[in-house]
């Protein structure tokens, strides 16, 4: 039994393209909780590596630069803006060159240690939180009140990504997108450090055949039901 007006951590993990981030944000809104996008933190580190000419083989330099950048969120924005060196890097962290190297960057052990510590500090400051990523239930918050793991088929995730690209006026090669998603899954799951894992306690939801609203409804229903349990 827990109360939704008291400290509560809800974790949402899963591979890229399952809609985790939008779902987590909407769930947080409905429940009146804060929303933490931990992928944005790894993306920020990848952007810093590129923009400061730091290679993947220089973990100490990278962590030092990330500390100097004083990565933090501006919680007055919706969603919270990722700041580095005092400036928002929200659009930079979605650039293609950042996306291309973020998975290996997220595999750097010293960087993960730093990020895990940072995420726990954020949770101490924002104790009513929906946090989303790859290791939030398995590593960072193993005692979280509710843990979810979202999945979807590679084909469906490629279809959703293609839709986003064409809606933004771009071109989409669905076969290439499927290959990219498959490669990123492998890279996230097979890396030695902080691999994507389904947490043991997590409730699994396959979103392949569900709309965005259906997914959020289902997660909200589960959380409220658990909160009402004796
Ligand atoms: O969710 P996303 O696409 O913004 O995540 C970017 C990358 O960061 C992705 O390759 C997985 C990695 N990541 C991670 O390793 N651990 C997290 N908690 C969040 C993201």
């Amino acid at each position: 039994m827990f109360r939704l007006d008291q400290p509560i951590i809800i974790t949402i993990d899963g591979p890229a393209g399952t809609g985790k981030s939008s779902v987590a944000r909407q769930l947080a809104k409905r429940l009146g909780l804060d929303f933490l996008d931990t992928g944005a933190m790894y993306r920020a580190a990848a952007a810093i590596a590129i923009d400061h000419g730091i290679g993947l083989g220089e973990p100490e330099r990278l962590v030092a630069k990330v500390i100097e950048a004083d990565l933090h969120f501006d919680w007055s924005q919706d969603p919270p803006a990722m700041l580095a060196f005092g400036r928002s890097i929200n659009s930079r962290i979605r650039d293609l060159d950042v996306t291309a190297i973020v998975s290996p960057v997220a595999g750097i052990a010293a960087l993960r240690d730093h990020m895990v510590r940072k995420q726990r500090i954020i949770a101490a400051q924002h104790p009513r939180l929906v946090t989303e990523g790859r290791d939030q239930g398995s590593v960072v918050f193993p005692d979280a009140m509710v843990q979810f793991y979202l999945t979807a088929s590679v084909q469906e995730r490629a279809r959703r990504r293609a839709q986003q690209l064409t809606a933004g006026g771009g071109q989409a090669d669905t076969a290439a997108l499927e290959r990219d998603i498959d490669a990123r899954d492998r890279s996230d799951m097979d890396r030695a450090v902080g691999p994507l894992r389904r947490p043991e306690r997590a409730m699994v939801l396959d979103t392949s055949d569900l709309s965005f609203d259906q997914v959020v409804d289902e997660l909200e229903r589960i959380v409220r039901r658990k909160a009402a349990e004796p």
Side-chain angles (χ1 to χ4, degrees), residues 38-39 42-43 102-103 106 112 133-136 184 188 191:
T38 61
Y42 289 99
R43 285 173 176 275
V102 63
S103 184
R112 290 203 82 83
R134 303 295 190 284
D135 60 347
Q136 297 301 286
R184 199 132 86 89
D188 284 342
R191 64 170 177 242

Side-chain angles (χ1 to χ4, degrees), residues 58-165:
E58 303 176 283
E60 280 162 23
R61 247 188 98 202
L62 179 58
V63 174
K65 194 52 89 177
V66 166
I67 291 171
E68 187 190 326
D70 185 26
L71 280 191
H72 62 280
F73 288 94
D74 174 357
W75 295 86
S76 69
Q77 307 285 316
D78 182 22
M82 181 87 261
L83 306 186
F85 298 102
R87 287 195 315 271
S88 168
I89 52 166
N90 263 8
S91 78
R92 174 73 185 108
I93 63 174
R94 305 287 158 198
D95 286 344
L96 282 179
D97 59 337
V98 170
T99 300
I101 68 150
V102 63
S103 184
V105 165
I108 297 173
L111 181 72
R112 290 203 82 83
D113 287 347
H114 177 70
M115 293 302 193
V116 168
R117 266 200 305 276
K118 242 181 160 28
Q119 288 155 14
R120 290 183 179 143
I121 292 170
I122 291 172
Q125 294 162 341
H126 297 263
R128 303 179 62 252
L129 193 65
V130 177
T131 178
E132 169 263 310
R134 303 295 190 284
D135 60 347
Q136 297 301 286
S138 55
V139 173
V140 188
F141 303 108
D143 299 327
M145 209 69 88
V146 189
Q147 300 188 335
F148 292 110
Y149 188 84
L150 300 190
T151 62
S153 66
V154 171
Q155 291 74 16
E156 176 56 21
R157 289 188 279 145
R159 197 192 61 75
R160 290 176 190 170
R161 183 75 189 117
Q163 218 170 29
Q164 281 171 354
L165 289 172

Side-chain angles (χ1 to χ4, degrees), residues 1-4 8 144-148 201 203 219-230:
M1 153 98 169
F2 59 89
R3 290 180 46 161
L4 282 168
I8 173 176
M145 209 69 88
V146 189
Q147 300 188 335
F148 292 110
R201 291 174 45 228
M203 269 162 292
L219 299 196
E220 184 184 4
R221 194 185 59 75
I222 291 171
V223 173
R224 291 196 186 279
R225 192 193 63 209
K226 278 177 130 350
E229 274 171 8

